[in-house]
């Protein structure tokens, strides 16, 4: 007999752990502005990630590295104002937490105080353990991120699948356990083999949310602009496009331009 899923009026970090224990998958998407966040939240998505992918999607940078803490706070505060239900997780940007645990805490506090976000996300394992502990000790929820970590792109040199070899896979499993033990409420696994991701998810009590990590994890995350088809140059295997907004928007803009030039817009009913 199927069990009715619990309805959450407001998703919290505790909600996500409950969802995992109840076998309910977690939906997660990105948002960087008020209007998009309003739509995503209204659709019932559980978690909204204010990702440093804003560096690529909103600002046109090649990597996530250039975006600043001030810019992340701006995007996050715009998103938070739109939210009624979703948990809002905000990426700590590159350079704000890796080397100095005290700076990591200051960065996380600024995000929480100035944006109103509900949690922060950091990339990495044992090498940032002290930064994670410092943030958690201040009462700030932390989501981890393992596998392909885009802030380390110049170390890896490629966006290819991570942890295919046994040594790296073992390190990922150890890092995942460490993040859980440290107190992280969830972990994102990006571009790792599906069998490894499933094993990691089964070994943890906290939820594992995948992107390019197969369907054996506890939830999925995509970049909203990618899944809506607003971007069209990016075509990884894990991306399912639910709309072709690039084509739809291009056609709408062309039609608008044609209507303006032909004096079809505005017509009599569209003026005062």
């Amino acid at each position: 007999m199927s069990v009715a899923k619990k309805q959450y009026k407001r998703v919290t970090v505790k909600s996500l752990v409950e969802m995992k224990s109840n076998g309910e998958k977690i939906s997660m998407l990105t948002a960087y502005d008020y209007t998009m966040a309003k739509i995503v939240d209204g659709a019932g998505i559980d978690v909204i990630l204010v990702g440093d992918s804003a560096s690529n999607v909103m600002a046109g940078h090649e990597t996530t590295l250039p975006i600043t803490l001030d810019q992340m706070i701006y995007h996050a505060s715009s998103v938070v104002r739109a939210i009624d239900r979703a948990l809002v997780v905000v990426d700590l940007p590159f350079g704000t937490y890796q080397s100095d645990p005290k700076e990591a805490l200051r960065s996380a506090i600024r995000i929480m105080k100035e944006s109103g976000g509900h949690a922060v996300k950091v990339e990495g394992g044992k090498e940032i353990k002290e930064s994670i502990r410092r943030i958690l000790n201040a009462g700030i929820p932390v989501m981890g991120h393992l596998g392909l970590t885009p802030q380390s792109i110049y170390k890896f040199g490629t966006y290819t699948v991570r942890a295919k070899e046994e040594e790296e896979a073992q390190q990922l499993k150890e890092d995942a356990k460490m993040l859980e033990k440290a107190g992280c409420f969830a972990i994102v696994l990006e571009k790792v083999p599906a069998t490894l991701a499933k094993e990691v998810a089964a070994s943890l009590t906290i939820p594992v949310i995948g992107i390019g990590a197969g369907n054996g994890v506890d939830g999925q995350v995509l970049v909203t602009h990618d899944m809506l088809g607003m971007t069209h140059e990016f075509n990884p295997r894990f991306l399912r496009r639910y709309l072709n907004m690039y084509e739809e928007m291009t056609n709408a803009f062309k039609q608008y331009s044609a209507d303006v030039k032909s004096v079809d817009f505005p017509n009599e009913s569209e003026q005062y």
Side-chain angles (χ1 to χ4, degrees):
M1 186 175 73
S2 63
V3 178
K5 300 297 184 185
K6 181 175 178 179
Q7 298 298 311
Y8 294 97
K9 289 186 176 180
R10 194 75 189 237
V11 179
T12 66
V13 296
K14 183 173 178 286
S15 307
L16 301 187
V17 177
E18 284 182 355
M19 290 168 75
K20 171 166 180 149
S21 66
N22 292 334
E24 179 179 355
K25 299 294 186 181
I26 297 162
S27 60
M28 181 169 167
L29 286 172
T30 61
Y32 318 105
D33 64 86
Y34 176 89
T35 303
M36 185 70 81
K38 194 79 172 173
I39 299 169
V40 172
D41 184 60
I45 298 300
D46 300 312
V47 183
I48 292 180
L49 173 65
V50 185
D52 58 5
S53 48
S55 180
N56 313 100
V57 175
M58 305 301 287
H61 292 296
E62 185 180 359
T63 72
T64 62
L65 274 61
I67 199 164
T68 67
L69 183 60
D70 284 340
Q71 289 167 334
M72 288 301 302
I73 290 169
Y74 166 78
H75 286 296
S77 60
S78 300
V79 167
V80 168
R81 284 191 287 269
I83 301 307
D84 291 320
R85 178 182 178 272
L87 179 76
V88 178
V89 179
V90 185
D91 272 340
L92 278 175
F94 176 73
T96 64
Y97 64 93
Q98 286 93 340
S99 62
D100 182 356
K102 291 182 180 178
E103 183 181 13
L105 177 58
R106 286 193 294 268
S107 301
I109 287 173
R110 279 200 63 200
I111 282 179
M112 300 296 282
K113 285 177 69 72
E114 296 177 39
S115 80
H118 308 139
V120 298
K121 182 167 78 63
V122 295
E123 295 181 5
K126 62 181 181 180
E127 68 277 10
I128 60 164
K129 180 168 65 173
E130 291 308 313
S131 290
I132 291 171
R133 283 180 174 166
R134 185 67 67 99
I135 296 169
L136 286 165
N137 284 342
I140 299 172
V142 176
M143 175 181 281
H145 184 146
L146 298 172
L148 176 64
T149 48
Q151 291 180 11
S152 303
I153 184 57
Y154 291 124
K155 178 178 115 177
F156 294 140
T158 175
Y159 286 105
T160 192
V161 176
R162 304 304 312 170
K164 290 191 291 185
E165 303 300 326
E166 179 58 33
E167 183 178 353
E168 189 178 351
Q170 183 60 38
Q171 185 60 59
L172 186 146
K173 289 188 277 190
E174 291 174 7
D175 281 340
K177 282 285 191 182
M178 181 277 295
L179 291 174
E180 178 181 54
K181 186 176 180 181
C184 289
F185 69 89
I187 299 172
V188 168
L189 279 187
E190 181 168 358
K191 284 192 89 169
V192 300
T195 51
L196 174 62
K198 183 177 182 179
E199 180 183 349
V200 170
S203 72
L204 303 179
T205 58
I206 61 174
V208 173
I209 299 173
I211 176 167
N215 62 11
V217 291
D218 305 302
Q220 301 292 332
V221 59
L222 286 174
V223 172
T224 298
H225 290 66
D226 294 338
M227 61 87 73
L228 290 177
M230 295 174 73
T231 56
H232 66 289
E233 306 93 346
F234 184 60
N235 294 292
R237 181 189 300 184
F238 64 78
L239 174 59
R240 180 183 295 182
R241 285 197 165 88
Y242 286 80
L243 290 173
N244 186 354
M245 290 291 288
Y246 181 85
E247 183 177 318
E248 293 287 325
M249 292 171 74
T250 299
N251 290 339
F253 297 148
K254 286 180 176 178
Q255 187 62 57
Y256 167 74
S257 180
D259 290 349
V260 169
K261 292 179 184 297
S262 67
V263 201
D264 180 74
F265 175 79
N267 60 32
E268 288 188 7
S269 67
E270 295 164 332
Q271 50 192 321
Y272 299 97

